[in-house]
Amino acid sequence: GKCSHLVTEFRQIIQTLDAYNELSLLATAMGYVLLLDRFRPMLLPRHLNDVYMTLLFLERLRLWIANKYGRTSPCNRFSKEKMIALKGQRKEEMYLRSHLYGLEQALL
């Protein structure tokens, strides 16, 4: 019924936030390693393509998260524990977003 739909929706949001956060860490680490002077002579276009593709994918995930979170945030459809978990994941996502912005600026 309605409760199982809410549980599924909550799981989707948390799993997407987890994926976003992990992928953000990976993209940031890869990007900053590629920007080190010692790796510049070995830098190939495909390396940058991988980082750019990851950044574009993360942007799409971020928009999906914002859309889903925006629809669920105003109402208290989830339990207090679930909302705390969701807010913790969102806090990490927002922190990582600042690192991704720095990486985007360094690459462009």
Side-chain angles (χ1 to χ4, degrees), residues 22-50:
E22 288 179 28
L23 200 53
S24 296
L25 287 172
L26 177 67
T28 304
M30 275 179 22
Y32 285 130
V33 165
L34 290 175
L35 291 173
L36 291 173
D37 287 337
R38 71 187 293 193
F39 291 107
R40 293 222 180 185
M42 297 177 277
L43 191 61
L44 296 173
R46 70 169 184 240
H47 298 131
L48 286 176
N49 284 343
D50 291 340

Side-chain angles (χ1 to χ4, degrees), residues 44-105:
L44 296 173
R46 70 169 184 240
H47 298 131
L48 286 176
N49 284 343
D50 291 340
V51 175
Y52 285 133
M53 182 186 69
T54 305
L55 291 173
L56 291 171
F57 184 71
L58 285 168
E59 181 63 20
R60 294 289 294 178
L61 274 180
R62 189 187 65 74
L63 292 173
W64 185 89
I65 291 167
N67 184 29
K68 279 289 193 180
Y69 188 76
R71 287 190 300 179
T72 59
S73 182
C75 55
N76 294 325
R77 299 186 315 176
F78 299 132
S79 68
K80 186 176 181 178
E81 296 82 20
K82 287 183 179 182
M83 287 306 290
I84 289 171
L86 187 59
K87 285 180 182 178
Q89 289 287 353
R90 278 291 279 177
K91 192 175 182 180
E92 185 177 354
E93 180 252 331
M94 293 169 104
Y95 170 77
L96 291 169
R97 191 182 316 162
S98 66
H99 289 285
L100 287 173
Y101 180 75
L103 176 61
E104 288 173 8
Q105 295 305 307

